[in-house]
Amino acid sequence: MERANAWEALRNNDFEKAEKYLLEALSVQERTFGKNNSTYITILGYLGLLYNLTATQQHKAENYLLEALNISQQIEGKSSLQYAYSSNNLAIFYRSTGNYTLAIQYSLSAYSILKEKSADASFVDVLNNLGIAYMNQNNYCVIMAGGVGSRFWPFSRTDKPKQFLDFFGTGKSLLQMTVDRFATLVPAE
């Protein structure tokens, strides 16, 4: 019941209510049946995907998704469908955070299981996630930073060009602010 209420809340963009119901479902499931069962793993996955939608709580997403993967491995093994679904959820998380290396790793894990066991919508999701991760893994950014900065005179000088100025008093140069804006789109390495 709690999971159904959580999805209804999520459809209505009520993340707090969805979180409340999913945490309650997780607690009831753990008290009643323990952690080592597929329903508990599924609820962990739902919580992970929920937290992945909220930028301020993505650290919780990773924790729940890793726990789901670990329990899946313990009770069903690395070749189970549950392990594949948990791997795919982690791939979605890592893709959304820009960590394409881990997104590909977990997508490939799910792919190797699902191609042998299931050609359903989950397999299509894995292929989609894998394609998107490969497509984005080699993004590069070139930041043009030059010129004499004559429009910024007298702030910009030869010894302190405009791109190195803390123009807005944030403690960061214009160049660093530009790097920070692209950091979510292009991996640092």
Side-chain angles (χ1 to χ4, degrees):
M1 181 66 166
E2 287 85 0
R3 285 190 298 173
N5 289 336
W7 287 123
E8 182 63 31
L10 194 53
R11 274 194 293 278
N12 294 325
N13 291 321
D14 191 340
F15 292 102
E16 289 176 10
K17 195 178 274 187
E19 176 189 38
K20 173 190 162 218
Y21 285 124
L22 286 170
L23 288 172
E24 186 177 345
L26 189 69
S27 177
V28 168
Q29 185 67 22
E30 183 178 359
R31 277 194 320 269
T32 309
F33 301 104
K35 291 183 175 184
N36 292 334
N37 60 76
S38 61
T39 302
Y40 188 83
I41 295 166
T42 300
I43 297 168
L44 287 172
Y46 290 159
L47 276 165
L49 295 174
L50 174 72
Y51 288 131
N52 190 39
L53 296 173
T54 59
T56 59
Q57 299 192 43
Q58 281 188 322
H59 63 284
K60 288 183 182 180
E62 184 175 27
N63 293 337
Y64 280 115
L65 295 171
L66 285 169
E67 184 179 356
L69 186 73
N70 289 332
I71 295 172
S72 295
Q73 180 181 345
Q74 289 171 10
I75 65 171
E76 297 187 26
K78 283 188 168 184
S79 61
S80 70
L81 288 174
Q82 188 66 54
Y83 189 85
Y85 301 147
S86 295
S87 293
N88 191 47
N89 286 343
L90 268 167
I92 292 167
F93 167 75
Y94 286 122
R95 190 187 82 207
S96 73
T97 61
N99 189 336
Y100 299 111
T101 302
L102 285 177
I104 290 168
Q105 174 187 324
Y106 285 106
S107 287
L108 287 172
S109 175
Y111 171 80
S112 66
I113 297 164
L114 292 173
K115 77 175 181 176
E116 299 296 324
K117 297 189 177 214
S118 174
D120 62 3
S122 299
F123 186 62
V124 174
D125 286 344
V126 168
L127 291 171
N128 184 51
N129 291 332
L130 196 52
I132 292 169
Y134 274 121
M135 183 174 68
N136 288 306
Q137 83 169 6
N138 291 319
N139 284 347
Y140 297 96
C141 178
V142 176
I143 300 170
M144 305 301 284
V148 294
S150 60
R151 289 175 291 183
F152 285 107
W153 188 88
F155 303 107
S156 179
R157 304 289 176 115
T158 306
D159 62 331
K160 190 79 169 183
K162 66 180 181 239
Q163 60 268 23
F164 298 114
L165 294 176
D166 177 8
F167 199 71
F168 299 106
T170 62
K172 294 184 176 187
S173 69
L174 294 174
L175 181 61
Q176 184 58 52
M177 290 172 64
T178 303
V179 169
D180 290 348
R181 282 194 307 274
F182 281 99
T184 60
L185 302 173
V186 180
E189 69 273 357

